Amino acid sequence: MGFPASWRSLLLHWVFPQTCCSCKEDLRPGRPNPLCRTCLRELRPAEPPWCRRCGDRIKGDHDLCQACAKRTFSCGVIRPAFFYGGTASTLVHGFKYRGRLDAAAFCGRMMALALPQFPELAGFDCLAPVPLHPSRMRERGYNQALLLAREIAEVWRKPVREPLSRSRATKPQWGLGRGERGRNVSGGIRAEPGSAKGLAVLLVDDVCTTGATLEECAGALREAGAESVSAFVFARQALT
């Protein structure tokens, strides 16, 4: 005779207590997301005004930030579901560095729900996660961008493709300045020739700061035949 499902849930919660990914408060058994009610209320969607290309916060009457006004880009549009900071940053830290796969699934679902707010991202043929170098993949055990992309794909019934790879290990981008970030990833991301031929690709990643990695990915996809490339990230770290 087995235990009722509710008893099993309570037993598992007692042995492996589920805590809020942000404030570490104990969550009630069976809670469907990794945040307590208070932290969930603090997670507010990103909203304009922002640069119409890269999604960074922008002030004044300009519709492009200074960086985007200076040149053209392979990655047409970048949009964030949230701005980096507070609860959004603790969620990212949870699934990147603390193994909170439930946080990655939750963030992917939130991105899927936010996608209709961005008609400029509509019409994509497939999702493509920003790749990890094999050494980082072995260290972490999973590609967080792929986890996010799979959640979005499940809701929107779009395929996930992985045409991109990293040809060399790079330093973590968070510790570098704008110019250093660009040099750090330059030439380090490739796509199989013809792997994106004729496709409108939506790149997916967890965080965008300068957009250097997304631009490198988009350039590789363009060389592989992509018709267009845009990007959707969970959080945008403001530079302005």
Side-chain angles (χ1 to χ4, degrees):
M1 179 177 178
F3 289 106
S6 58
W7 290 17
R8 290 197 299 270
S9 178
L10 286 170
L11 180 61
L12 283 172
H13 184 72
W14 182 73
V15 178
F16 304 106
Q18 185 181 13
T19 60
C20 174
C21 194
S22 184
C23 72
K24 309 303 187 293
E25 176 184 321
D26 281 351
L27 300 177
R28 63 175 174 80
R31 183 162 178 79
N33 66 62
L35 296 175
C36 67
R37 295 183 188 277
T38 299
C39 292
L40 183 59
R41 286 194 294 269
E42 292 175 355
L43 188 64
R44 295 186 175 88
E47 295 179 343
W50 52 35
C51 171
R52 64 177 168 83
R53 193 203 76 87
C54 76
D56 191 13
R57 296 179 192 267
I58 198 168
K59 298 177 181 178
D61 298 329
H62 303 288
D63 62 351
L64 288 171
C65 68
Q66 290 185 352
C68 291
K70 293 178 180 179
R71 64 187 182 93
T72 57
F73 295 84
S74 296
C75 187
V77 176
I78 303 170
R79 286 294 178 265
F82 300 90
F83 285 123
Y84 193 77
T87 300
S89 61
T90 56
L91 282 167
V92 171
H93 192 273
F95 64 69
K96 285 184 77 169
Y97 306 115
R98 293 192 283 122
R100 290 289 300 259
L101 300 184
D102 59 332
F106 171 75
C107 291
R109 292 194 299 269
M110 295 299 286
M111 291 175 72
L113 291 173
L115 192 53
Q117 300 175 29
F118 309 113
E120 59 269 39
L121 298 180
F124 60 93
D125 298 309
C126 66
L127 301 114
V130 170
L132 284 184
H133 188 267
S135 62
R136 189 69 55 81
M137 187 73 172
R138 287 192 297 270
E139 177 185 319
R140 187 167 296 159
Y142 53 86
N143 178 358
Q144 72 278 359
L146 177 58
L147 298 182
L148 297 175
R150 284 173 174 168
E151 293 292 333
I152 300 169
E154 184 175 347
V155 173
W156 286 92
R157 299 292 188 266
K158 295 284 188 177
V160 176
R161 294 175 180 258
E162 297 183 75
L164 296 165
S165 63
R166 288 188 185 258
S167 57
R168 60 181 175 82
T170 57
K171 297 177 182 178
Q173 290 284 76
W174 59 265
L176 305 176
R178 180 186 285 274
E180 293 175 303
R181 287 170 185 254
R183 290 189 293 273
N184 186 45
V185 297
S186 179
I189 297 175
R190 298 177 179 174
E192 287 295 322
S195 59
K197 186 175 181 180
L199 296 175
V201 181
L202 183 63
L203 274 170
V204 176
D205 205 2
D206 54 346
V207 178
C208 170
T209 304
T210 64
T213 300
L214 295 171
E215 180 63 14
E216 191 71 17
C217 289
L221 289 168
R222 292 279 195 174
E223 290 183 5
E227 183 176 321
S228 66
V229 183
S230 297
F232 190 32
V233 299
F234 175 70
R236 181 67 160 88
Q237 192 164 12
L239 295 176
T240 56

